[in-house]
Amino acid sequence: MAVSSSSFLSTASLTNSKSNISFASSVSPSLRSVVFRSTTPATSHRRSMTVRSKIREIFMPALSSTMTEGKIVSWIKTEGEKLAKGESVVVVESDKADMDVETFYDGYLAAIVVGEGETAPVGAAIGLLAETEAEIEEAKSKAASKSSSSVAEAVVPSPPPVTSSPASAIAQPAPVTAVSDGPRKTVATPYAKKLAKQHKVDIESVAGTGPFGRITASDVETAAGIAPSKSSIAPPPPPPPPVTAKATTTNLPPLLPDSSIVPFTAMQSAVSKNMIESLSVPTFRVGYPVNTDALDALYEKVKPKGVTMTALLAKAAGMALAQHPVVNASCKDGKSFSYNSSINIAVAVAINGGLITPVLQDADKLDLYLLSQKWKELVGKARSKQLQPHEYNSGTFTLSNLGMFGVDRFDAILPPGQGAIMAVGASKPTVVADKDGFFSVKNTMLVNVTADHRIVYGADLAAFLQTFAKIIENPDSLTL
C-alpha cells in the first residue's frame, strides 16, 4: 500500500486481486469535496463525502480539576496573525494560576470571540483558527454570528483534561457531513426494532431523529401511522414555582449606606467552592505541644545555607507520615479510601487576592537543602501566578503555618480529597514541668491537626503527632 499525504487530504491506492480503489479531490475556498470511485464488478457503489473548510475553534481549556470557567488575561497574538503549532496564543487566568494556552495547529488567528478581561466556561470557544488567509473572512462572519446568538444555544464539545504544560486548547475541526448513496448501516434502539417487526415497517426506510440519526420507537410509530405511546414521550418538566418578592428579600440583609459589592475572583470562587465542599466531611481535631529548642538551634545553623523553617516542618511532617500512612490516605467517594503512594506536602501560601497551596512532592525523600530550594521556586511561581496544575493539585497532606504572625494556635479547614491538615502556631517561651516536678522555660509550639474521621481515628492521629514531636525535638534526622 502506497500512501501520500498533504496538510489536509490523504490519497491512497490499494491493489489486490479483486478491485482497485482510487479517489480524486477538488477544493474550493469554502467547500472541499472528495469523490470516491471504485472499479469493482456490478455490485460496486459510489460514495461522495462533503467536508467543510478547516476553521477550528480554540476552546477554553480546563487548567485544573476544579476549574469551571477561565478569564482571558491577554491575547498574545492579534487577529490575522499567523500561528505555528505549539505557539502560545492567549494567557488564561484559572482558579489557581495564569497559564499560556498553545495551539495544536498551524494557521491564522482569524477571530477573537472572548476579549481580554472577559470570562468563558470551560469548553467554550474563545477564538477561531483559519487554515488559510482566504478563510479569515469566513471565520470572522462565523464569529459575528456566534456573538449575536444566545450562549445557551451554542453546543460546544468539552476539551480533554490537561495533562501537560503549558496548557493546550484543543482546536477541533468543523463537523464532517457524509453523504452516501450506497448501503448504510441502520442504527436503531432494540425497542424500535421490535416495534418495526410488530407493525411490519421497513426499518431501513425510517428516518431516525435520535442522536447521530439513531432510530427511536417514536420514529417507527410515526412511520406506521400510529400515535406514539405514552412511554416514548417524556413528560414535560413541571413549571418552576413562582418567585415572590418576599422570598428574594427576606433572606438577605439590606446593604449599609455607601456599601459596595465586590464579585469573587476566579481564585476566590474556587476557595469558596472547596470550603463549602469540605463541610460535608466529618472531621475532628487533635492538638499537641511540641518543644522546639533543638529545632530552633538547628534552624539557626542551616538558615545561612538557604534552609527555611517551612522546609524543616514539611520534612518532619513527611517523615512522620511515612510511619503513619493512614494519615496520608484520602477518601474521595465516601465508600472507600486509598493509601497514597507518595507523600506530597501542600503548604498554604497567602497571595494577593487569595490562597494557594504549592506542593512539595516526595517531601519525605528529598534532601533538606533541595527541599528548601524547591520551596523557594514554588513560592516565586505562586506569587507570579505561574504554577502548573501538578504543582498545586497533587497534595496528599496540607501544612498551614501562621507562627510567623505570632498566632499561638488555630484550626485549619480540611481540603477536599485529603485525609488531614496540620495548623502550626508560633514557638513561644513556656513554663513546663518535667517528670520529677521541676519547672523550666522551654520554647513550645502548638500544632493542631484536623482529620477526616472516616479514615483517620483518634488513636491514629495521636500516634502521628507523637512521632512528629519526637522528630522535631530530636531533629538530627532531618539533615540526613
Side-chain angles (χ1 to χ4, degrees):
M1 174 177 177
V3 179
S4 63
S5 63
S6 67
S7 60
F8 176 61
L9 299 174
S10 299
T11 61
S13 62
L14 296 171
T15 304
N16 56 34
S17 59
K18 293 185 179 180
S19 66
N20 293 322
I21 301 176
S22 64
F23 65 84
S25 64
S26 59
V27 180
S28 64
S30 61
L31 192 66
R32 305 181 179 191
S33 176
V34 183
V35 180
F36 296 81
R37 292 185 178 88
S38 174
T39 59
T40 56
T43 57
S44 64
H45 58 274
R46 180 177 177 274
R47 290 184 179 179
S48 65
M49 183 173 67
T50 303
V51 183
R52 298 180 188 174
S53 57
K54 280 276 189 80
I55 296 176
R56 296 182 169 93
E57 292 179 328
I58 302 175
F59 293 108
M60 175 66 72
L63 303 179
S64 71
S65 58
T66 59
M67 178 178 170
T68 58
E69 65 178 11
K71 179 181 178 181
I72 303 297
V73 177
S74 63
W75 282 93
I76 301 173
K77 301 296 183 180
T78 59
E79 288 188 352
E81 192 169 350
K82 187 168 184 175
L83 304 176
K85 179 180 178 182
E87 196 171 8
S88 296
V89 182
V90 62
V91 179
V92 173
E93 177 189 0
S94 71
D95 52 359
K96 301 291 185 182
D98 293 351
M99 298 185 66
D100 291 351
V101 177
E102 298 177 348
T103 176
F104 275 165
Y105 300 93
D106 296 332
Y108 295 84
L109 180 57
I112 293 175
V113 178
V114 181
E116 294 182 359
E118 299 178 359
T119 60
V122 170
I126 59 176
L128 296 180
L129 182 70
E131 186 181 35
T132 65
E133 283 188 275
E135 296 166 346
I136 292 179
E137 291 303 321
E138 181 184 348
K140 287 184 176 180
S141 300
K142 183 178 179 181
S145 63
K146 276 183 174 292
S147 60
S148 62
S149 62
S150 171
V151 176
E153 296 174 354
V155 179
V156 182
S158 299
V162 175
T163 58
S164 61
S165 175
S168 298
I170 308 302
Q172 300 289 350
V176 175
T177 304
V179 180
S180 173
D181 54 7
R184 63 183 179 88
K185 181 179 179 181
T186 301
V187 182
T189 65
Y191 185 50
K193 294 179 180 179
K194 181 179 179 181
L195 284 177
K197 185 177 181 181
Q198 178 181 345
H199 296 288
K200 298 181 180 180
V201 174
D202 181 10
I203 201 166
E204 297 288 343
S205 63
V206 178
T209 61
F212 305 104
R214 192 177 192 185
I215 299 172
T216 64
S218 59
D219 296 330
V220 176
E221 291 172 335
T222 301
I226 60 177
S229 62
K230 293 183 180 180
S231 61
S232 63
I233 302 177
V243 179
T244 62
K246 182 178 179 180
T248 58
T249 58
T250 54
N251 294 332
L252 297 175
L255 290 176
L256 296 177
D258 300 325
S259 298
S260 60
I261 298 176
V262 180
F264 278 165
T265 63
M267 180 175 291
Q268 289 171 329
S269 297
V271 172
S272 175
K273 179 182 176 182
N274 286 340
M275 294 303 96
I276 293 173
E277 184 179 344
S278 68
L279 295 177
S280 63
V281 179
T283 59
F284 71 106
R285 297 162 181 82
V286 176
Y288 203 91
V290 181
N291 179 5
T292 63
D293 286 338
L295 181 68
D296 294 338
L298 175 62
Y299 178 57
E300 293 301 322
K301 187 185 301 183
V302 298
K303 183 178 179 180
K305 300 179 181 178
V307 175
T308 63
M309 180 58 74
T310 297
L312 286 167
L313 294 173
K315 178 70 173 178
M319 293 174 62
L321 289 170
Q323 300 181 46
H324 303 275
V326 70
V327 184
N328 192 54
S330 58
C331 174
K332 298 182 179 180
D333 59 2
K335 300 177 182 179
S336 62
F337 70 97
S338 58
Y339 286 100
N340 293 301
S341 58
S342 299
I343 296 176
N344 300 335
I345 307 295
V347 184
V349 174
I351 62 175
N352 186 24
L355 175 74
I356 197 167
T357 52
V359 177
L360 288 166
Q361 299 183 3
D362 295 320
D364 60 319
K365 300 175 182 178
L366 288 182
D367 173 82
L368 180 62
Y369 301 99
L370 183 60
L371 198 66
S372 296
Q373 180 182 351
K374 183 66 176 175
W375 176 242
K376 290 179 180 178
E377 293 175 359
L378 289 171
V379 171
K381 294 173 75 172
R383 297 260 159 86
S384 61
K385 301 183 72 175
Q386 294 299 316
L387 285 174
Q388 303 302 317
H390 70 279
E391 293 175 324
Y392 60 75
N393 63 11
S394 58
T396 60
F397 180 90
T398 297
L399 181 68
S400 182
N401 181 13
L402 292 179
M404 70 286 289
F405 299 108
V407 176
D408 58 354
R409 71 177 71 189
F410 69 101
D411 289 329
I413 299 177
L414 181 67
Q418 294 186 16
I421 179 174
M422 176 184 287
V424 180
S427 176
K428 295 183 176 181
T430 307
V431 177
V432 296
D434 60 20
K435 62 181 179 180
D436 297 321
F438 293 99
F439 291 93
S440 60
V441 178
K442 295 184 178 180
N443 289 325
T444 304
M445 72 177 181
L446 295 176
V447 296
N448 290 340
V449 178
T450 303
D452 184 344
H453 212 331
R454 296 174 298 179
I455 54 177
V456 182
Y457 302 137
D460 299 323
L461 211 51
F464 163 75
L465 285 170
Q466 285 180 336
T467 302
F468 176 78
K470 288 179 181 178
I471 295 172
I472 294 295
E473 293 168 0
N474 301 278
D476 293 340
S477 58
L478 296 176
T479 57
L480 299 179

